[in-house]
Coordinates of all heavy atoms in Angstrom, one line a residue:
M1080 N -2.2 -3.0 5.1 CA -1.9 -1.9 6.0 C -3.3 -1.3 6.3 O -4.1 -1.1 5.4 CB -1.0 -0.8 5.4 CG -0.9 0.4 6.2 SD 0.4 1.6 5.8 CE 0.3 1.7 4.0
V1081 N -3.5 -1.0 7.6 CA -4.8 -0.4 8.0 C -4.5 0.9 8.8 O -3.6 0.9 9.7 CB -5.6 -1.4 8.9 CG1 -6.9 -0.8 9.3 CG2 -5.8 -2.7 8.1
V1082 N -5.2 2.0 8.5 CA -5.0 3.2 9.3 C -6.4 3.5 9.9 O -7.4 3.6 9.2 CB -4.6 4.4 8.4 CG1 -4.5 5.7 9.2 CG2 -3.3 4.1 7.7
Y1083 N -6.4 3.6 11.3 CA -7.6 3.9 12.0 C -7.6 5.4 12.4 O -6.6 5.9 12.9 CB -7.7 3.1 13.3 CG -7.7 1.6 13.0 CD1 -6.5 0.9 13.1 CD2 -8.9 1.0 12.7 CE1 -6.6 -0.5 12.8 CE2 -8.9 -0.4 12.5 CZ -7.8 -1.1 12.5 OH -7.8 -2.4 12.3
G1084 N -8.7 6.1 12.1 CA -8.9 7.5 12.5 C -10.1 7.7 13.3 O -10.9 6.8 13.6
T1085 N -10.3 8.9 13.8 CA -11.5 9.2 14.6 C -12.8 9.1 13.9 O -13.8 9.0 14.5 CB -11.3 10.6 15.3 OG1 -11.2 11.6 14.2 CG2 -10.1 10.6 16.2
K1086 N -12.7 9.3 12.5 CA -14.0 9.3 11.7 C -14.1 8.0 10.9 O -15.2 7.7 10.4 CB -14.0 10.5 10.8 CG -14.1 11.8 11.6 CD -14.2 12.9 10.6 CE -14.3 14.2 11.4 NZ -14.4 15.4 10.5
G1087 N -13.1 7.2 10.8 CA -13.2 6.0 10.0 C -11.9 5.3 9.9 O -10.9 5.6 10.5
T1088 N -11.9 4.3 8.9 CA -10.7 3.5 8.7 C -10.4 3.4 7.2 O -11.3 3.5 6.3 CB -11.0 2.0 9.1 OG1 -11.4 2.1 10.5 CG2 -9.9 1.1 8.9
I1089 N -9.1 3.4 6.8 CA -8.7 3.2 5.5 C -7.8 1.9 5.5 O -6.9 1.8 6.4 CB -7.8 4.4 5.0 CG1 -8.7 5.6 5.0 CG2 -7.3 4.1 3.6 CD1 -7.9 6.9 4.6
A1090 N -8.0 1.0 4.5 CA -7.2 -0.2 4.5 C -6.7 -0.4 3.0 O -7.4 -0.2 2.1 CB -8.0 -1.4 4.9
L1091 N -5.4 -0.9 3.0 CA -4.9 -1.3 1.7 C -4.7 -2.8 1.8 O -3.9 -3.3 2.6 CB -3.5 -0.6 1.4 CG -2.9 -1.0 0.1 CD1 -3.7 -0.6 -1.1 CD2 -1.5 -0.3 0.0
E1092 N -5.4 -3.6 1.0 CA -5.4 -5.0 1.1 C -4.7 -5.6 -0.2 O -5.0 -5.1 -1.3 CB -6.8 -5.6 1.2 CG -7.4 -5.2 2.5 CD -8.8 -5.8 2.7 OE1 -9.3 -6.6 1.8 OE2 -9.4 -5.6 3.8
N1093 N -3.9 -6.6 0.0 CA -3.2 -7.3 -1.1 C -2.4 -6.3 -2.0 O -2.2 -6.5 -3.2 CB -4.2 -8.0 -2.0 CG -5.0 -9.1 -1.2 OD1 -4.4 -9.8 -0.4 ND2 -6.2 -9.2 -1.4
W1094 N -2.0 -5.2 -1.5 CA -1.2 -4.2 -2.1 C -1.8 -3.6 -3.4 O -1.2 -3.0 -4.2 CB 0.2 -4.8 -2.5 CG 1.0 -5.2 -1.4 CD1 1.2 -6.4 -0.9 CD2 1.6 -4.3 -0.4 NE1 2.0 -6.4 0.2 CE2 2.3 -5.1 0.5 CE3 1.8 -2.9 -0.4 CZ2 3.0 -4.5 1.6 CZ3 2.5 -2.4 0.7 CH2 3.1 -3.2 1.6
E1095 N -3.2 -3.7 -3.5 CA -3.8 -3.1 -4.6 C -5.3 -2.7 -4.4 O -5.8 -2.0 -5.2 CB -3.7 -4.1 -5.8 CG -4.5 -5.4 -5.7 CD -4.4 -6.3 -6.9 OE1 -3.8 -5.8 -7.9 OE2 -4.9 -7.4 -6.8
E1096 N -5.9 -3.2 -3.3 CA -7.3 -2.9 -3.1 C -7.5 -1.9 -1.9 O -7.1 -2.2 -0.8 CB -8.0 -4.2 -2.8 CG -9.5 -4.0 -2.8 CD -10.2 -5.4 -2.7 OE1 -9.6 -6.4 -3.1 OE2 -11.3 -5.4 -2.2
L1097 N -8.0 -0.7 -2.2 CA -8.2 0.3 -1.2 C -9.6 0.2 -0.7 O -10.6 0.1 -1.5 CB -7.9 1.7 -1.8 CG -8.0 2.9 -0.9 CD1 -6.9 2.7 0.2 CD2 -7.9 4.2 -1.6
K1098 N -9.8 0.2 0.6 CA -11.1 0.1 1.2 C -11.2 1.2 2.3 O -10.2 1.5 3.0 CB -11.3 -1.2 1.8 CG -11.4 -2.3 0.8 CD -11.8 -3.6 1.5 CE -12.0 -4.8 0.5 NZ -12.3 -6.0 1.1
T1099 N -12.4 1.7 2.5 CA -12.7 2.7 3.5 C -14.0 2.4 4.2 O -14.9 1.8 3.6 CB -12.7 4.2 3.0 OG1 -13.8 4.3 2.1 CG2 -11.4 4.6 2.3
G1100 N -14.2 3.0 5.4 CA -15.4 2.9 6.1 C -15.4 3.8 7.3 O -14.4 4.1 7.9
R1101 N -16.6 4.3 7.7 CA -16.8 5.1 8.8 C -16.7 4.2 10.1 O -16.8 3.0 10.0 CB -18.1 5.8 8.8 CG -18.2 6.8 7.7 CD -19.1 7.9 8.1 NE -19.2 8.9 7.0 CZ -18.4 10.0 7.0 NH1 -17.5 10.2 8.0 NH2 -18.5 10.9 6.1
V1102 N -16.4 4.8 11.2 CA -16.3 4.1 12.5 C -17.5 3.2 12.7 O -18.6 3.7 12.5 CB -16.1 5.1 13.7 CG1 -16.2 4.3 15.0 CG2 -14.8 5.8 13.5
G1103 N -17.3 1.9 13.0 CA -18.4 1.0 13.3 C -19.1 0.4 12.0 O -20.0 -0.4 12.1
Q1104 N -18.6 0.9 10.8 CA -19.2 0.4 9.6 C -18.3 -0.5 8.9 O -17.1 -0.4 9.0 CB -19.6 1.6 8.7 CG -20.6 2.6 9.3 CD -21.9 1.9 9.5 OE1 -22.4 1.2 8.6 NE2 -22.5 2.1 10.7
P1105 N -18.8 -1.4 8.0 CA -17.9 -2.3 7.2 C -17.1 -1.5 6.2 O -17.6 -0.5 5.8 CB -18.9 -3.3 6.6 CG -20.2 -2.6 6.6 CD -20.2 -1.7 7.8
L1106 N -16.0 -2.0 5.8 CA -15.2 -1.4 4.8 C -15.7 -1.7 3.4 O -16.2 -2.8 3.2 CB -13.7 -1.8 4.9 CG -13.0 -1.6 6.2 CD1 -11.6 -2.1 6.1 CD2 -13.0 -0.1 6.5
S1107 N -15.7 -0.7 2.5 CA -16.1 -0.9 1.2 C -15.0 -0.5 0.2 O -14.2 0.4 0.5 CB -17.4 -0.1 0.9 OG -17.2 1.2 1.1
R1108 N -14.9 -1.1 -0.9 CA -13.9 -0.9 -1.9 C -14.0 0.5 -2.5 O -15.1 1.0 -2.8 CB -13.9 -1.9 -3.0 CG -12.7 -1.9 -3.9 CD -12.6 -3.2 -4.7 NE -11.3 -3.1 -5.4 CZ -11.1 -3.6 -6.6 NH1 -12.1 -4.1 -7.3 NH2 -9.9 -3.5 -7.1
V1109 N -12.8 1.1 -2.7 CA -12.8 2.4 -3.4 C -12.0 2.3 -4.7 O -10.9 1.7 -4.8 CB -12.0 3.5 -2.5 CG1 -11.8 4.8 -3.2 CG2 -12.7 3.6 -1.2
E1110 N -12.6 2.7 -5.8 CA -12.0 2.6 -7.1 C -10.9 3.7 -7.2 O -11.1 4.8 -6.9 CB -13.0 2.8 -8.2 CG -14.0 1.7 -8.4 CD -13.3 0.4 -8.7 OE1 -12.4 0.3 -9.5 OE2 -13.8 -0.7 -8.2
V1111 N -9.7 3.3 -7.7 CA -8.6 4.2 -7.8 C -8.1 4.1 -9.3 O -8.0 3.0 -9.8 CB -7.4 3.7 -6.9 CG1 -6.2 4.6 -7.1 CG2 -7.8 3.7 -5.5
L1112 N -7.9 5.3 -9.8 CA -7.5 5.3 -11.2 C -6.1 4.7 -11.3 O -5.2 5.0 -10.5 CB -7.4 6.8 -11.7 CG -8.7 7.5 -11.8 CD1 -8.5 9.0 -12.2 CD2 -9.7 6.8 -12.7
E1113 N -5.9 3.9 -12.3 CA -4.6 3.2 -12.5 C -3.5 4.2 -12.6 O -2.4 3.9 -12.1 CB -4.7 2.3 -13.8 CG -3.4 1.5 -14.1 CD -3.3 0.3 -13.1 OE1 -4.3 -0.1 -12.6 OE2 -2.2 -0.1 -12.8
S1114 N -3.6 5.3 -13.3 CA -2.6 6.2 -13.5 C -2.2 6.9 -12.2 O -1.1 7.4 -12.1 CB -3.0 7.3 -14.5 OG -4.1 8.0 -14.0
A1115 N -3.1 6.9 -11.2 CA -2.8 7.6 -9.9 C -2.1 6.6 -8.9 O -1.8 7.0 -7.8 CB -4.1 8.1 -9.3
S1116 N -1.9 5.4 -9.3 CA -1.5 4.4 -8.3 C -0.2 3.8 -8.7 O 0.1 3.6 -9.9 CB -2.5 3.3 -8.2 OG -2.1 2.2 -7.4
E1117 N 0.6 3.4 -7.7 CA 1.9 2.8 -8.0 C 1.7 1.2 -7.9 O 2.7 0.5 -8.0 CB 3.0 3.2 -6.9 CG 3.4 4.6 -7.0 CD 4.0 4.9 -8.4 OE1 4.7 4.1 -8.9 OE2 3.8 6.0 -8.8
L1118 N 0.5 0.8 -7.8 CA 0.2 -0.6 -7.6 C -0.6 -1.1 -8.8 O -1.1 -0.4 -9.6 CB -0.7 -0.8 -6.4 CG 0.0 -0.2 -5.1 CD1 -1.0 -0.2 -4.0 CD2 1.2 -1.0 -4.7
P1119 N -0.6 -2.4 -9.1 CA -0.1 -3.4 -8.2 C 1.4 -3.6 -8.4 O 2.0 -3.3 -9.5 CB -0.8 -4.7 -8.7 CG -1.2 -4.4 -10.1 CD -1.4 -2.9 -10.2
V1120 N 2.0 -4.1 -7.4 CA 3.5 -4.3 -7.4 C 4.0 -5.2 -8.5 O 5.0 -4.9 -9.1 CB 3.9 -4.9 -6.0 CG1 5.4 -5.2 -6.0 CG2 3.6 -3.9 -4.9
L1121 N 3.2 -6.2 -8.9 CA 3.6 -7.2 -9.9 C 3.9 -6.5 -11.2 O 4.8 -6.9 -11.9 CB 2.5 -8.2 -10.1 CG 2.9 -9.4 -11.0 CD1 4.2 -10.0 -10.6 CD2 1.7 -10.4 -11.1
K1122 N 3.1 -5.5 -11.6 CA 3.4 -4.7 -12.8 C 4.8 -4.1 -12.9 O 5.4 -4.1 -13.9 CB 2.3 -3.7 -13.1 CG 1.0 -4.2 -13.5 CD 0.0 -3.1 -13.8 CE -1.3 -3.6 -14.2 NZ -2.3 -2.6 -14.5
H1123 N 5.2 -3.7 -11.7 CA 6.6 -3.1 -11.6 C 7.6 -4.1 -11.7 O 8.7 -3.9 -12.4 CB 6.7 -2.3 -10.4 CG 5.9 -1.0 -10.4 ND1 6.3 0.1 -10.9 CD2 4.6 -0.8 -9.9 CE1 5.3 1.1 -10.8 NE2 4.3 0.5 -10.2
V1124 N 7.4 -5.3 -11.2 CA 8.4 -6.4 -11.3 C 8.5 -6.8 -12.7 O 9.6 -7.0 -13.3 CB 7.9 -7.6 -10.4 CG1 8.8 -8.8 -10.6 CG2 8.0 -7.2 -8.9
I1125 N 7.4 -7.0 -13.4 CA 7.4 -7.4 -14.8 C 8.1 -6.3 -15.7 O 8.9 -6.6 -16.5 CB 6.0 -7.6 -15.3 CG1 5.4 -8.9 -14.6 CG2 5.9 -7.8 -16.8 CD1 3.9 -9.1 -14.8
A1126 N 7.8 -5.0 -15.4 CA 8.4 -4.0 -16.2 C 10.0 -4.0 -16.0 O 10.7 -3.9 -16.9 CB 7.9 -2.6 -15.7
R1127 N 10.4 -4.2 -14.7 CA 11.9 -4.3 -14.5 C 12.5 -5.5 -15.2 O 13.6 -5.3 -15.8 CB 12.1 -4.4 -13.0 CG 13.5 -4.5 -12.5 CD 14.4 -3.3 -12.9 NE 14.0 -2.1 -12.3 CZ 14.4 -1.6 -11.1 NH1 15.3 -2.3 -10.4 NH2 14.0 -0.5 -10.6
I1128 N 11.8 -6.6 -15.2 CA 12.3 -7.8 -15.9 C 12.5 -7.5 -17.4 O 13.4 -7.9 -18.1 CB 11.4 -9.0 -15.7 CG1 11.5 -9.5 -14.3 CG2 11.7 -10.1 -16.7 CD1 10.5 -10.5 -13.9
Q1129 N 11.5 -6.7 -17.9 CA 11.6 -6.3 -19.4 C 12.5 -5.1 -19.7 O 12.6 -4.7 -20.8 CB 10.1 -5.9 -19.8 CG 9.2 -7.1 -19.8 CD 7.8 -6.7 -20.1 OE1 7.4 -5.6 -19.9 NE2 7.0 -7.7 -20.5
G1130 N 13.2 -4.7 -18.6 CA 14.2 -3.6 -18.8 C 13.6 -2.2 -18.9 O 14.2 -1.2 -19.3
K1131 N 12.3 -2.1 -18.4 CA 11.6 -0.8 -18.4 C 11.7 -0.2 -17.0 O 12.0 -0.9 -16.1 CB 10.1 -1.0 -18.8 CG 9.9 -1.6 -20.2 CD 8.4 -1.9 -20.4 CE 8.2 -2.6 -21.7 NZ 6.8 -3.0 -21.9
P1132 N 11.5 1.1 -17.0 CA 11.5 1.8 -15.6 C 10.4 1.2 -14.7 O 9.3 0.9 -15.2 CB 11.3 3.3 -15.9 CG 11.5 3.4 -17.4 CD 11.2 2.1 -18.0
A1133 N 10.8 1.1 -13.5 CA 9.8 0.5 -12.5 C 10.2 0.9 -11.1 O 11.4 1.1 -10.8 CB 9.7 -1.0 -12.6
K1134 N 9.3 1.0 -10.2 CA 9.6 1.2 -8.8 C 9.7 -0.1 -8.1 O 8.7 -0.9 -8.0 CB 8.5 2.0 -8.1 CG 8.6 3.5 -8.4 CD 7.7 4.3 -7.5 CE 7.9 5.8 -7.8 NZ 7.2 6.6 -6.9
I1135 N 10.9 -0.4 -7.6 CA 11.1 -1.7 -6.9 C 11.7 -1.3 -5.5 O 12.7 -0.6 -5.4 CB 12.1 -2.6 -7.6 CG1 11.6 -2.9 -9.0 CG2 12.5 -3.8 -6.8 CD1 10.4 -3.8 -9.1
Y1136 N 11.1 -1.8 -4.5 CA 11.5 -1.5 -3.1 C 12.3 -2.7 -2.6 O 11.9 -3.9 -2.7 CB 10.3 -1.3 -2.2 CG 9.5 -0.1 -2.7 CD1 8.3 -0.4 -3.5 CD2 9.8 1.2 -2.5 CE1 7.6 0.7 -4.0 CE2 9.1 2.2 -3.0 CZ 8.0 2.0 -3.7 OH 7.3 3.0 -4.2
D1137 N 13.5 -2.4 -2.1 CA 14.4 -3.5 -1.6 C 14.2 -3.7 -0.1 O 13.4 -3.0 0.6 CB 15.8 -3.2 -2.0 CG 16.4 -1.9 -1.3 OD1 15.8 -1.4 -0.4 OD2 17.4 -1.5 -1.8
F1138 N 15.0 -4.6 0.5 CA 14.9 -4.9 1.9 C 15.1 -3.6 2.8 O 14.4 -3.4 3.7 CB 16.0 -5.9 2.3 CG 15.9 -6.3 3.7 CD1 15.0 -7.2 4.2 CD2 16.8 -5.7 4.6 CE1 15.0 -7.5 5.6 CE2 16.8 -6.0 6.0 CZ 15.9 -6.9 6.4
N1139 N 16.1 -2.8 2.4 CA 16.4 -1.6 3.1 C 15.2 -0.6 3.2 O 14.8 -0.1 4.2 CB 17.6 -0.9 2.6 CG 18.0 0.3 3.5 OD1 18.2 0.1 4.7 ND2 18.1 1.5 2.9
D1140 N 14.5 -0.5 2.0 CA 13.3 0.3 2.0 C 12.2 -0.2 3.0 O 11.6 0.5 3.7 CB 12.7 0.3 0.6 CG 13.6 1.0 -0.4 OD1 14.2 2.0 -0.1 OD2 13.6 0.6 -1.6
G1141 N 12.0 -1.5 3.0 CA 11.1 -2.2 3.9 C 11.5 -2.0 5.3 O 10.6 -1.7 6.2
Y1142 N 12.8 -2.1 5.6 CA 13.3 -1.9 7.0 C 13.0 -0.5 7.4 O 12.6 -0.3 8.6 CB 14.8 -2.2 7.0 CG 15.4 -2.0 8.4 CD1 15.1 -2.8 9.4 CD2 16.3 -0.9 8.6 CE1 15.7 -2.6 10.7 CE2 16.8 -0.7 9.8 CZ 16.5 -1.5 10.9 OH 17.1 -1.3 12.1
Q1143 N 13.3 0.5 6.6 CA 13.1 1.9 6.9 C 11.6 2.2 7.2 O 11.3 2.9 8.1 CB 13.6 2.8 5.9 CG 15.1 2.8 5.7 CD 15.9 3.1 6.9 OE1 15.6 4.0 7.7 NE2 17.0 2.4 7.2
A1144 N 10.8 1.6 6.4 CA 9.3 1.8 6.6 C 8.9 1.1 7.9 O 8.1 1.7 8.6 CB 8.5 1.1 5.4
Q1145 N 9.5 0.0 8.2 CA 9.1 -0.7 9.5 C 9.5 0.1 10.7 O 8.8 0.2 11.7 CB 9.8 -2.1 9.5 CG 9.3 -2.9 10.7 CD 7.8 -3.2 10.6 OE1 7.3 -3.5 9.5 NE2 7.1 -3.2 11.7
L1146 N 10.7 0.8 10.6 CA 11.2 1.6 11.7 C 10.1 2.7 11.9 O 9.8 3.1 13.1 CB 12.5 2.2 11.4 CG 13.7 1.3 11.4 CD1 15.0 2.1 11.0 CD2 13.9 0.7 12.8
I1147 N 9.6 3.3 10.9 CA 8.6 4.4 11.0 C 7.3 3.8 11.6 O 6.8 4.4 12.5 CB 8.4 5.1 9.7 CG1 9.6 5.8 9.2 CG2 7.1 6.0 9.7 CD1 9.6 6.3 7.8
L1148 N 6.9 2.7 11.1 CA 5.7 2.1 11.7 C 5.8 1.8 13.2 O 4.9 2.0 13.9 CB 5.3 0.8 10.9 CG 4.8 1.0 9.4 CD1 4.7 -0.3 8.7 CD2 3.5 1.8 9.4
E1149 N 7.0 1.2 13.5 CA 7.2 0.9 15.0 C 7.2 2.2 15.8 O 6.7 2.2 16.9 CB 8.5 0.1 15.1 CG 8.4 -1.3 14.6 CD 7.4 -2.2 15.3 OE1 7.2 -2.1 16.5 OE2 6.8 -3.0 14.6
A1150 N 7.8 3.2 15.3 CA 7.9 4.5 16.0 C 6.5 5.1 16.2 O 6.1 5.6 17.3 CB 8.8 5.5 15.3
L1151 N 5.6 5.0 15.2 CA 4.3 5.5 15.3 C 3.5 4.6 16.3 O 2.6 5.1 17.0 CB 3.6 5.4 13.9 CG 4.0 6.4 12.9 CD1 3.5 6.1 11.5 CD2 3.7 7.8 13.3
R1152 N 3.7 3.3 16.3 CA 3.0 2.4 17.2 C 3.4 2.7 18.6 O 2.5 2.5 19.5 CB 3.4 1.0 16.8 CG 2.7 -0.1 17.4 CD 3.1 -1.4 16.8 NE 2.6 -2.5 17.5 CZ 3.0 -3.7 17.3 NH1 3.9 -4.0 16.4 NH2 2.5 -4.7 18.0
N1153 N 4.6 3.0 18.9 CA 5.1 3.2 20.3 C 4.8 4.7 20.7 O 4.7 5.0 21.8 CB 6.6 2.9 20.4 CG 6.8 1.4 20.2 OD1 6.0 0.6 20.6 ND2 7.9 1.1 19.6

């Protein structure tokens, strides 16, 4: 997912790597504290398999997110 702004860009790559950059500049990686992040997704899948609490997004969650993205795009 990439968000473009008037001052720069923020990108989330591979569901775990956050990158930012000013307009016209290359993106550089931003370190995010593990405790502040819901990612990577795989950790949540493993936790769910082990019977532990985890955030798992289903097809409906993805569909609802896509509706919002399409509305923003249009």
